[in-house]
Amino acid sequence: MTEGRPIPVIEIFGPTVQGEGMVIGQKTMFVRTAGCDYSCAWCDSAFTWDGSGKADIRLLTAQDVYAEMRHIGGEAFAHATISGGNPALLPQLGELIGLLHGQRIRVALETQGSRWQNWFWDIDDLTLSPKPPSSRMETDWPVLDDIVAKLTERNRSFSLKIVVFDEADLQYAAEVHERYPHVPFYAQAGNGRLSETEPERLLPYLLERYEWLIDRVMAHTGLKQVHVLPQLHTWVWGNKKGV
C-alpha cells in the first residue's frame, strides 16, 4: 500500500517557467523530491541526494504538498512539474498525481529511465532523460527499453531528452535517437559552470555552448528529427535555486 505514505520533498516553488525538455517555457509549479539512484558528475540538483540538502527534506502527504502549492502559487497555475533527484523512486507519487488531476492540473515529470512506476501512464508530459558518458553513469538499456515499450504500447505522451556536453555525449544522443526513432527527441546544451554565481557572467558561456550544439546537430546525419534546446532558466537566473 502506498496511499498515505509521505513524500520526501526538498522544495516547492513557483509558478515559474519550465526551463527544459518537451514543455520548455510552460508556466508551472515545481515539486522537487529528495533521493536519487544516480550521482551524475555534473548534476545541478545534487543537494537532493548528496546530503547537503538533508536539513531541507520534509515528509509530506499528497494533501500537504497540494496545500503548500496553493499557498505559494494561489490560483495562478494549472500545471505542475515533479522533479528530483529521481522521483521515479517513489511509488507513493501516484496519489499526488491523482490529486492534481482531480484539480484539473496537468503534471509533468522527468526521470532518467532507470525505474518504472505504474503511475508513468498517468503523467501528461513525461520526459525520459538517460544520462550520457559525461555523467559517469551507465545506462541500463533493458530497463529503458521496457519503459519505452510500455509507454508506447498505451500511446502515452512522452519524450526523450539528452544533455550534451561534448562529442561523446553527442554520439550517445544519436544512438538513443536511433534506438527509439518514434519518440520525440530533444538535445539540450549542458551547463558545465555550476559554481558560477553571477548570471551575467554565465550567460555568454551558455550561449556559446548552445551555438556549439546547434552547429554539431545540424551537421549530424544521425540526428534528424531533433529539437535543440538551451537550459532556459539558467539563461535568466543563472544557477540560482528555487526558480
Side-chain angles (χ1 to χ4, degrees):
M1 290 290 293
T2 61
E3 187 174 350
R5 185 188 300 179
I7 301 165
V9 175
I10 203 161
E11 59 180 351
I12 299 173
F13 61 91
T16 186
V17 293
Q18 171 59 257
E20 304 185 4
M22 65 191 293
V23 287
I24 190 169
Q26 171 71 52
K27 180 180 180 180
T28 190
M29 285 292 295
F30 271 87
V31 177
R32 188 182 299 281
T33 62
C36 193
D37 50 332
Y38 277 19
S39 54
C40 296
W42 37 251
C43 181
D44 61 1
S45 54
F47 61 92
T48 63
W49 53 263
D50 67 2
S52 62
K54 184 176 181 180
D56 296 323
I57 298 173
R58 295 174 295 151
L59 297 177
L60 304 178
T61 66
Q63 291 78 13
D64 291 336
V65 173
Y66 175 68
E68 186 162 327
M69 292 171 71
R70 283 299 183 200
H71 177 73
I72 295 170
E75 298 295 326
F77 68 95
H79 189 277
T81 298
I82 303 173
S83 64
N86 183 10
L89 297 178
L90 305 172
Q92 65 268 42
L93 281 178
E95 185 179 359
L96 175 61
I97 294 161
L99 176 58
L100 293 173
H101 281 160
Q103 299 297 321
R104 298 184 179 179
I105 297 170
R106 289 179 60 86
V107 180
L109 185 140
E110 180 175 317
T111 177
Q112 59 262 43
S114 60
R115 300 286 185 92
W116 169 263
Q117 295 291 346
N118 285 338
W119 48 253
F120 278 14
W121 282 315
D122 300 322
I123 299 295
D124 300 291
D125 305 302
L126 178 63
T127 298
L128 303 178
S129 184
K131 304 310 178 188
S134 62
S135 71
R136 301 178 192 162
M137 298 291 105
E138 294 288 335
T139 301
D140 189 330
W141 294 109
V143 171
L144 186 58
D145 287 346
D146 182 62
I147 291 172
V148 170
K150 285 178 176 176
L151 293 168
T152 301
E153 182 181 1
R154 292 203 183 184
N155 197 29
R156 297 305 302 154
S157 174
F158 75 104
S159 68
L160 285 156
K161 186 194 79 178
I162 306 297
V163 178
V164 177
F165 284 84
D166 54 30
E167 292 292 340
D169 290 354
L170 190 73
Q171 184 55 37
Y172 175 88
E175 292 168 2
V176 172
H177 187 38
E178 181 180 7
R179 193 179 186 99
Y180 313 110
H182 64 289
V183 182
F185 190 88
Y186 296 79
Q188 181 177 295
N191 175 11
R193 295 187 179 175
L194 299 178
S195 61
E196 177 57 68
T197 59
E198 298 298 330
E200 62 271 19
R201 289 204 293 261
L202 183 62
L203 184 55
Y205 161 77
L206 295 174
L207 179 59
E208 183 274 328
R209 297 310 301 159
Y210 186 43
E211 289 176 333
W212 172 84
L213 183 58
I214 290 172
D215 288 344
R216 296 300 295 121
V217 170
M218 295 309 109
H220 202 297
T221 58
L223 291 167
K224 293 186 174 71
Q225 295 292 335
V226 179
H227 304 260
V228 185
L229 301 180
Q231 195 179 40
L232 182 62
H233 58 283
T234 60
W235 285 37
V236 181
W237 296 291
N239 291 315
K240 184 179 179 182
K241 287 172 56 179
V243 290

